[in-house]
Amino acid sequence: MNFINLTFLDRRILTQLQKRGMSANEGIRLISYEIYYLNYKDRAIVRKATRLIGDAKKSTIIAAIQMSKRKNYLIELHKNNDDCNNMNCNYLVNV
């Protein structure tokens, strides 16, 4: 996977990961594993959809799955970031 091939959401995920202390290479590897690798559940969805729609739309189905994984991953990063910030602020107020 090349940095040029990253989508806009991939770059936002990468910047969030870099804010947490990951290097660019580590972030790209994590993105490729978490988003572009299709696990068995994703492959089952692709098989079902290709039976219904046909093999011609297989790449579109895979792209839609990857986009939903990107969005969910970015949401989780933002949620965890907010939780960490709130915990730090609460800790500082209590001290």
Side-chain angles (χ1 to χ4, degrees), residues 18-31:
Q18 285 178 335
K19 285 179 184 178
R20 293 171 184 243
M22 278 194 177
S23 69
N25 288 332
E26 291 171 340
I28 289 173
R29 272 190 248 129
L30 184 68
I31 288 170

Side-chain angles (χ1 to χ4, degrees), residues 1-7 10 28-29 31-32 36 70:
M1 171 160 205
N2 199 352
F3 188 70
I4 296 170
N5 297 334
L6 294 176
T7 64
D10 290 339
I28 289 173
R29 272 190 248 129
I31 288 170
S32 68
Y36 291 100
R70 276 185 199 100

Side-chain angles (χ1 to χ4, degrees), residues 9-74:
L9 285 177
D10 290 339
R11 291 176 191 213
R12 288 183 62 189
I13 291 170
L14 186 61
T15 54
Q16 288 295 322
L17 292 174
Q18 285 178 335
K19 285 179 184 178
R20 293 171 184 243
M22 278 194 177
S23 69
N25 288 332
E26 291 171 340
I28 289 173
R29 272 190 248 129
L30 184 68
I31 288 170
S32 68
Y33 178 74
E34 291 289 331
I35 295 169
Y36 291 100
Y37 174 74
L38 297 178
N39 58 19
Y40 69 96
K41 291 178 184 177
D42 297 333
R43 285 182 269 154
I45 293 169
V46 170
R47 281 192 300 271
K48 276 185 187 177
T50 53
R51 275 189 235 134
L52 292 174
I53 298 172
D55 247 358
K57 299 284 185 174
K58 188 175 183 177
S59 62
T60 307
I61 296 164
I62 292 172
I65 290 171
Q66 289 173 345
M67 185 57 75
S68 69
K69 287 170 84 171
R70 276 185 199 100
K71 289 178 183 176
N72 291 337
Y73 196 73
L74 190 60

